[in-house]
Amino acid sequence: MKNKVFISAIVLILALCAGCGGKTGKPVSEAGRSKPVTGIDACFDEELGYYNESPSVIRIGAKQYMFYTRNEQKDMQTDTIAVRSAEYRNGKWNYGEFRTVLRPTEKGWDGASVFAADVVKGEFNYNGKIYAYLMAYSGSSKQNRTNAQIGFAVCDTIDGDYIKVGENPIVEFSKQEQTAVGLTNYKGLTEPSLVSYDKKGKITLFYSHYGKFNNSYALEMDCSDLNSVIRGGRIKLNVSGLADGLNSPMLFSADYVYDPDENIYIVCRNYGGSVSGLPSVAEAVQAVEADADEIYKVYDNLPGTVPAEGVWKLYNPRQRRISAIHTGVDDADTSRGNGYKRIYNGCVVSDQYGHSVSSREIQIYFTSSAVSGDDGLEGNEYVFTPMIHEYTITRG
Amino acid sequence: MKKKFIAAFAAALALSFAFAHYTHSAADGREGVSAESAAMTLELSPDARGEGADYLEIDLGNIEISGTHIGITVNPVSATNQNGVTPAWSMFRFIFTDANGKVYESNNYNSVQTTIPAANSDGTATEVTFMYNYLWPTLGFCGTMYLPWALVNGGTVQNPTAAPANIVKVRIQHNSSYTTSRRAMLTHFFNLTDATVNVSDKDVYFGDVKILEDFEDKTLEVTERKIYDFADTDLDGVTWSGNKAMDARFATESERESIDELKRNAKENAWKSLYSVNGQRFVYSKEEAAYGKALKWEYGSYYDEYDASLNSYGSLGITLSEGKNDFRGAKGLTVWVKNPQSYYVSFNLEFAEQEEGGAERWNLNGSTYRTLYFYDTETGEEFSASTDTVAYIPAGFCGWVRIPFSQYECPSWSMANEWTDGVYDENKPHNNIYITSQFIVNDNVTIYFDNIGLYYSDFSVGRLFDDSVPGIAELTEGAR
């Protein structure tokens, strides 16, 4: 009797698994195990053991390119920058195979990790040759990505092999960030986001700074000649108006697109708050917008007279954040749960210049992850579960 | 009250003139000490302490007055307050009488703290606090306080008191019954002078920055005439109050040697006397920097020198004279700072707003993550960065820091005072600026400060693509 029940259960489970894979696109790899899917589909499937995170998506007509961070060796933290192109068919974006376009340089400042890249089109002269695409990426000599810095790379085509610019980072996490006890394991400079200023060589580089102080910065740079970059000063962005679970909300892990019609920046940022368990990343992302001139403004008002409403506001006032509840699927047959417990490092789809593709709505892409201790995961397998998802928000 | 800063050469000339009258003869014939060190010494001791006002009156004869100030040359040596603690200041009230019996009192009815000009024995300028009807020369000061006749009897700049045509009597008064009074005090009195102090109203600007404090040696433009020598006082002829709490004598030889020693070190002491220090002890001195003399602030080893009985912060106070205490139209404070360390250092640039009843302190304590704006004069870089209840200066930074008033807050400990309202009002006097720094996190650091000022323009920071609003460099360097 016991054997009969056991065999029945096995058959049922197999049937359920087959059903899930067929109907919902659950990422089942022929070679390996699938990642736990507890909500909406991922944009593309890859087996458990490979993480896909920190997307940057550029749309060119009916085609779009997603740059993201992927480990090159299964079950090992071996960061690279990968790209997948997608074509819009049958009401959705269909992604092709990945292509690795940037790897760490052995013994270099980015010797152990390259991650969280963004790409912009323009005219960038490097060593006498004009390149059409400039990539900004985070890099670290440590596998755990700490004390990260930001580097540049260039390419003739959007999805070709990128050539690193110089042997040093463009923005250093320098001694200026040290405390009296020295540079410690800060996250450093991460999540670069590029917006073209003139569709040529002038760009604005946004990034997150995790050091003694955590801040969101912008650098205006003329990269027409990458051998002699002209840079403005490091501008701490005005963050007034942001609200989340932190006392001092910041534009962390933020991707910026510029809407020239409205003269606003639209940003997808991590929604701050305390989380328990690993990974220690955000549980939600948030879309906000701000007047493009205001975010740089120095407020010289008298104390207490800084505008209470702040510079930033929600892109859609009814869409405070994209969290687990928004990514759950109300379909008992799929055995999916109530959405993803971790939702972080998102981006807003832009054109090649970092400009918005619509003034009415945005498509954001974000990373999801399972949590340590989730059913079916052992040890640090959660590290290799991140997937990338799409979500549309209508402007409020 | 405004001081005119004049060139060293001119100062030297004025000094020569001023001290040309100081030809007191060594009447007692003693050798080894200078005639100028002869003094009448007033000593308030706990044993002699009475209740209420106590004073002595000295007949001066009939002295014609032609100047705008009465100079009082003193050297406060020591004091003990009512709590048995050594205060920073001595305290005296002066009352003069003219031939018609009209009195001229050092009244300051509004109880508003102000300062009067003063010169150290080497002629360098300093200031003495004038508050609660008293003059408060700091202990160790050796020089002349110039009390404007315009400010006696409660006079103000707008409604000045006319100077007397002559004076016949001076009363030097203390009041032992005040809680702020002294339990013990020893002060040497040297001279009275009929003085005119030039207090021209000339502000110094760096671009849009009005300099409030540049840490330079300052000199006063003074013409004066010695009209009374306290060393000539007939001590038996002195009139004492019924409540006699002080004793008068002449300075001893050893005291006069100490006075001479004090004068030999006058230059350094004079500069130091411009500032009040409190809390943790730190070494402060002047050193040549980008814009002339800068304040060099040095903390020693935390393990060897931290004094747990004191406030954990060291504080250097700067009193702003009238005119400089006017913050109207200014958008924030700025200061030139140099951090030679290879790591962050921190400090707070605080200011006080005069409220009815007391001072309201403003600083960056109130909240984390305020924004400061930097212009590194060596690299040319402009950038903005966060505070964390104090200002943090990056490693190697050398340049200007701007702090908009919008980033300031009245901290809770200041709000606890009944007179504070927590509202910044640019129309109220702002009489004091303080540099404060926490010892514990600044163990063994050296920081340079110079050119504390007010800035008046909108500015941008670090912009490459938008020049509609000038950057700090353009605004600060523009007028150089």
Side-chain angles (χ1 to χ4, degrees), chain B residues 237-269:
Chain B
V238 166
T239 302
W240 292 96
S241 62
N243 171 33
K244 182 175 181 296
M246 292 186 284
D247 278 319
R249 59 176 174 78
F250 291 115
T252 65
E253 183 169 349
S254 65
E255 286 174 332
R256 292 176 61 180
E257 287 172 354
S258 296
I259 293 165
D260 283 342
E261 177 69 17
L262 197 60
K263 290 181 176 178
R264 280 192 287 274
N265 299 322
K267 195 128 189 126
E268 186 67 17
N269 291 336

Side-chain angles (χ1 to χ4, degrees), chain B residues 360-438:
Chain B
E360 179 179 81
R361 188 72 75 92
W362 288 76
N363 61 25
L364 301 169
N365 281 166
S367 175
T368 58
Y369 288 169
R370 300 304 179 92
T371 304
L372 305 188
Y373 300 89
F374 296 78
Y375 162 45
D376 192 312
T377 49
E378 292 192 347
T379 66
E381 185 187 14
E382 293 180 357
F383 59 95
S384 48
S386 288
T387 66
D388 188 1
T389 69
V390 292
Y392 280 83
I393 305 300
F397 176 79
C398 176
W400 296 86
V401 181
R402 288 192 172 205
I403 313 174
F405 285 130
S406 61
Q407 305 304 293
Y408 276 99
E409 193 167 307
C410 181
S412 56
W413 58 263
S414 183
M415 285 295 288
N417 296 317
E418 60 182 11
W419 58 77
T420 55
D421 58 11
V423 177
Y424 172 77
D425 185 346
E426 64 176 4
N427 295 307
K428 291 178 178 172
H430 296 84
N431 295 320
N432 298 92
I433 286 178
Y434 304 90
I435 299 171
T436 62
S437 182
Q438 171 75 260

Side-chain angles (χ1 to χ4, degrees), chain B residues 61-120:
Chain B
N62 191 329
I63 300 172
E64 184 183 341
I65 295 296
S66 58
T68 57
H69 296 65
I70 179 75
I72 309 159
T73 310
V74 296
N75 169 219
V77 177
S78 63
T80 306
N81 69 14
Q82 299 289 23
N83 297 320
V85 176
T86 299
W89 305 273
S90 61
M91 53 182 291
F92 289 101
R93 188 178 184 202
F94 296 88
I95 301 173
F96 299 88
T97 306
D98 69 10
N100 295 322
K102 182 179 179 182
V103 295
Y104 295 81
E105 302 174 284
S106 59
N107 282 351
N108 188 11
Y109 293 130
N110 299 324
S111 293
V112 173
Q113 178 178 340
T114 185
T115 58
I116 61 170
N120 296 283

Side-chain angles (χ1 to χ4, degrees), chain A residues 176-180 197 203 212-215 217 220-221 232-236 296 298-301 303, chain B residues 331 343-344 368-371 373 382-384 386 388 392 395 404-406 424 458-459 461-465:
Chain A
Q176 290 210 337
E177 319 304 337
Q178 291 183 18
T179 63
Y197 177 75
I203 56 103
K212 178 170 177 56
F213 301 104
N214 299 333
N215 278 317
Y217 288 117
E220 293 178 330
M221 309 173 86
R234 188 182 71 176
I235 306 169
K236 182 186 163 195
Y296 302 114
V298 175
Y299 274 94
D300 53 16
N301 301 295
Chain B
K331 304 209 169 188
Y343 48 86
Y344 280 102
T368 58
Y369 288 169
R370 300 304 179 92
T371 304
Y373 300 89
E382 293 180 357
F383 59 95
S384 48
S386 288
D388 188 1
Y392 280 83
F405 285 130
S406 61
Y424 172 77
D458 287 331
F459 67 93
V461 58
R463 298 304 304 271
L464 192 63
F465 303 152

Side-chain angles (χ1 to χ4, degrees), chain B residues 108-148:
Chain B
N108 188 11
Y109 293 130
N110 299 324
S111 293
V112 173
Q113 178 178 340
T114 185
T115 58
I116 61 170
N120 296 283
S121 59
D122 69 340
T124 52
T126 183
E127 291 170 334
V128 167
T129 298
F130 179 26
M131 181 172 64
Y132 303 127
N133 303 336
Y134 279 69
L135 303 187
W136 303 71
T138 53
L139 299 183
F141 170 74
C142 186
T144 306
M145 308 179 288
Y146 295 100
L147 175 64

